[in-house]
Amino acid sequence: MAYTRPAKDCAGQLDILKKRGLQFDNRDAAEKLLQEIGYFRLKGYCLGFYKQDTETFKDGISISQLHRVYRFDSDIRGITMKACQRAEVRLKSIMGMQLALRFGPVMPANALEPSSLFEKWTESVDSAHLQGSKRKELYVRHYLEDYGEFPIWVDLELSTLGNVSKLYSWLEPDVKKAIADQYSARVVYLLNWTHMLTVVRNTCAHNSRFYGRFLPVYAKMPRPQLRYFGNTTYASMVFVLSRLLEPDDFQSYIDGLKRIFKEYQGDIEIGRLGFQSSWYSHAQRLM
């Protein structure tokens, strides 16, 4: 079935929202906001403000309220992206060290299980080398010209977080355990957390919504923590990052969340991210 709805400019889009009951004081400002955010993106934030089973807004909902929720979600993505980047750097460092100590600078095919997966890994790092060369990374040229190959820590530095997460899942059991031991975690947990990290980081990078939605992957955690952080919403990422970050970085992250929650108090419901009112004290106990 073809999509046949005609495109509308911001004025037409605003008329649709007005017919659905959305309020605004200044039409020019409202149209400018739509131009800034985009109708499709803003519509995602409308869902929590509709009357049940309709696309009609509850009484008194204004476009400025939607904008505040959008800005809140944007700020959450910003602080989460920073935390994910630090967790990614730590993961690559730990993996690089453990792999180099066990196998030497260049990882052999038998590091993976089954070894046939080594071809997939080399394909991904070949692509990473090419991208690094296009970015004119000086160290890429250095290793190519001086050695003709790349040590594992360079491969990891150039690789995407998604490919690093896949590599971890492909490693032989003893190596996976050695890396998980650095996090004082079982392998089954670290496998899940690195996947979670990838999903959430990509959500941030693509400016996708956290507010009022479920994550596409469930977080694994000890049962006692499920009652506080759940495993389907953004709040579960607080537990995951408590395990993947250094304590100082995790403290900075949760302090930032607390600050954002306070800034938007009255405009948002932290329960729509999966948080309880006592979330901060429970998060501090995770360290």
Side-chain angles (χ1 to χ4, degrees):
M1 179 178 174
Y3 188 89
T4 58
R5 291 186 181 182
K8 293 184 180 292
D9 60 14
C10 290
Q13 293 169 350
L14 191 61
D15 287 340
I16 294 173
L17 294 172
K18 184 177 180 181
K19 287 179 181 178
R20 292 177 177 174
L22 186 65
Q23 298 181 0
F24 51 88
D25 297 326
N26 186 315
R27 186 177 181 91
D28 288 341
E31 288 185 19
K32 185 177 180 181
L33 191 152
L34 274 177
Q35 187 174 29
E36 170 196 341
I37 300 174
Y39 177 82
F40 181 75
R41 184 179 298 277
L42 185 68
K43 191 175 179 181
Y45 295 92
C46 296
L47 301 177
F49 294 95
Y50 286 152
K51 295 176 182 177
Q52 188 173 0
D53 300 326
T54 73
E55 288 193 356
T56 303
F57 287 96
K58 298 173 184 176
D59 294 341
I61 302 301
S62 69
I63 198 168
S64 61
Q65 286 177 273
L66 294 182
H67 190 219
R68 285 284 288 172
V69 174
Y70 164 78
R71 292 294 298 271
F72 165 78
D73 201 48
S74 178
D75 288 353
I76 292 295
R77 286 196 302 272
I79 196 170
T80 306
M81 185 61 148
K82 182 178 179 181
C84 287
Q85 287 171 335
R86 291 189 174 182
E88 177 182 355
V89 169
R90 187 183 183 211
L91 175 65
K92 288 179 175 180
S93 176
I94 288 173
M95 284 183 63
M97 176 70 73
Q98 291 299 315
L99 290 171
L101 290 174
R102 182 172 292 250
F103 299 111
V106 179
M107 190 172 67
N110 63 7
L112 304 185
E113 185 182 88
S115 58
S116 59
L117 291 171
F118 189 73
E119 184 177 347
K120 289 187 176 181
W121 170 245
T122 54
E123 287 175 359
S124 75
V125 294
D126 285 346
S127 176
H129 298 159
L130 179 60
Q131 292 302 315
S133 181
K134 287 181 178 179
R135 296 197 306 266
K136 300 189 184 300
E137 298 282 7
L138 294 179
Y139 63 87
V140 172
R141 187 172 65 184
H142 162 68
Y143 281 102
L144 277 175
E145 292 179 353
D146 291 4
Y147 303 102
E149 60 183 356
F150 295 83
I152 183 59
W153 54 86
V154 177
D155 286 341
L156 291 172
E157 180 66 24
L158 289 168
S159 295
T160 66
L161 176 57
N163 283 335
V164 172
S165 177
K166 287 178 184 177
L167 174 63
Y168 179 67
S169 70
W170 294 341
L171 293 170
E172 63 178 27
D174 287 349
V175 184
K176 281 203 284 271
K177 184 179 184 305
I179 294 168
D181 286 346
Q182 299 300 304
Y183 289 95
S184 299
R186 291 164 51 198
V187 169
V188 65
Y189 283 110
L190 190 57
L191 284 167
N192 173 258
W193 298 343
T194 57
H195 182 45
M196 284 280 297
L197 185 68
T198 303
V199 169
V200 169
R201 184 203 175 281
N202 289 344
T203 299
C204 295
H206 293 287
N207 295 312
S208 297
R209 179 169 53 92
F210 285 122
Y211 191 76
R213 63 167 289 204
F214 295 107
L215 296 180
V217 57
Y218 285 14
K220 287 186 181 294
M221 65 184 76
R223 188 175 297 275
Q225 301 301 337
L226 282 173
R227 61 186 294 194
Y228 302 120
F229 301 102
N231 62 358
T232 61
T233 59
Y234 175 88
S236 64
M237 200 59 194
V238 172
F239 175 83
V240 172
L241 286 170
S242 77
R243 295 298 183 259
L244 296 181
L245 289 170
E246 291 285 359
D248 286 349
D249 287 335
F250 179 68
Q251 184 68 60
S252 177
Y253 162 65
I254 61 173
D255 284 347
L257 282 181
K258 184 179 179 182
R259 185 169 58 252
I260 293 170
F261 289 173
K262 183 177 181 180
E263 179 181 350
Y264 290 91
Q265 190 173 8
D267 297 309
I268 56 94
E269 300 173 20
I270 63 172
R272 292 185 64 78
L273 287 174
F275 287 99
Q276 301 177 13
S277 59
S278 58
W279 74 272
Y280 185 77
S281 61
H282 294 300
Q284 285 187 308
R285 295 182 195 132
L286 294 174
M287 291 187 291

Short mmCIF file of all heavy atoms in Angstrom, two decimals, residues 12 15 33 40 45 51 94 166 245 256 277:
data_model
loop_
_atom_site.label_atom_id
_atom_site.label_comp_id
_atom_site.label_asym_id
_atom_site.label_seq_id
_atom_site.Cartn_x
_atom_site.Cartn_y
_atom_site.Cartn_z
N GLY A 12 0.38 24.15 8.01
CA GLY A 12 -0.59 23.06 7.89
C GLY A 12 -0.44 22.04 9.00
O GLY A 12 -1.44 21.51 9.52
N ASP A 15 -1.99 23.39 12.10
CA ASP A 15 -3.45 23.31 12.03
C ASP A 15 -3.94 21.93 12.47
O ASP A 15 -4.97 21.81 13.15
CB ASP A 15 -3.94 23.60 10.60
CG ASP A 15 -3.82 25.08 10.24
OD1 ASP A 15 -3.75 25.91 11.15
OD2 ASP A 15 -3.79 25.39 9.02
N LEU A 33 8.92 26.58 16.09
CA LEU A 33 9.28 25.40 16.88
C LEU A 33 9.13 24.12 16.05
O LEU A 33 9.98 23.24 16.09
CB LEU A 33 8.41 25.35 18.14
CG LEU A 33 8.78 24.35 19.23
CD1 LEU A 33 8.30 24.87 20.58
CD2 LEU A 33 8.16 22.99 18.96
N PHE A 40 7.20 15.10 12.72
CA PHE A 40 7.27 13.66 13.04
C PHE A 40 7.95 13.42 14.38
O PHE A 40 7.49 12.62 15.19
CB PHE A 40 8.02 12.93 11.93
CG PHE A 40 8.13 11.44 12.15
CD1 PHE A 40 7.05 10.61 11.96
CD2 PHE A 40 9.33 10.88 12.57
CE1 PHE A 40 7.14 9.24 12.18
CE2 PHE A 40 9.44 9.52 12.79
CZ PHE A 40 8.34 8.70 12.59
N TYR A 45 6.45 12.77 21.12
CA TYR A 45 6.29 13.29 22.47
C TYR A 45 4.84 13.61 22.80
O TYR A 45 4.51 13.92 23.94
CB TYR A 45 7.18 14.52 22.68
CG TYR A 45 8.64 14.19 22.58
CD1 TYR A 45 9.33 14.29 21.38
CD2 TYR A 45 9.33 13.73 23.70
CE1 TYR A 45 10.67 13.95 21.29
CE2 TYR A 45 10.68 13.39 23.62
CZ TYR A 45 11.34 13.50 22.40
OH TYR A 45 12.66 13.15 22.32
N LYS A 51 -5.67 11.85 25.04
CA LYS A 51 -6.71 11.15 25.76
C LYS A 51 -6.64 9.67 25.39
O LYS A 51 -6.19 9.32 24.31
CB LYS A 51 -8.08 11.72 25.39
CG LYS A 51 -8.28 13.16 25.83
CD LYS A 51 -9.63 13.71 25.35
CE LYS A 51 -9.79 15.17 25.74
NZ LYS A 51 -11.06 15.75 25.22
N ILE A 94 40.18 -2.30 28.37
CA ILE A 94 40.24 -3.58 29.08
C ILE A 94 40.39 -4.74 28.11
O ILE A 94 41.22 -5.64 28.30
CB ILE A 94 39.00 -3.76 29.98
CG1 ILE A 94 39.08 -2.80 31.18
CG2 ILE A 94 38.86 -5.20 30.46
CD1 ILE A 94 37.84 -2.76 32.03
N LYS A 166 30.31 -7.34 19.47
CA LYS A 166 30.25 -8.62 18.77
C LYS A 166 31.53 -9.42 19.00
O LYS A 166 31.48 -10.64 19.22
CB LYS A 166 30.06 -8.39 17.27
CG LYS A 166 28.67 -7.92 16.87
CD LYS A 166 28.61 -7.68 15.37
CE LYS A 166 27.26 -7.12 14.97
NZ LYS A 166 27.20 -6.80 13.52
N LEU A 245 31.10 1.73 34.24
CA LEU A 245 31.87 2.96 34.45
C LEU A 245 32.73 2.86 35.71
O LEU A 245 32.40 2.12 36.65
CB LEU A 245 30.94 4.16 34.59
CG LEU A 245 30.20 4.65 33.35
CD1 LEU A 245 29.15 5.68 33.74
CD2 LEU A 245 31.17 5.24 32.33
N GLY A 256 24.35 14.26 37.27
CA GLY A 256 23.83 14.99 36.12
C GLY A 256 22.36 14.68 35.88
O GLY A 256 21.57 15.58 35.58
N SER A 277 10.76 7.49 42.80
CA SER A 277 11.16 8.75 43.44
C SER A 277 12.45 8.60 44.23
O SER A 277 13.22 9.56 44.38
CB SER A 277 10.04 9.25 44.36
OG SER A 277 9.73 8.28 45.37
#
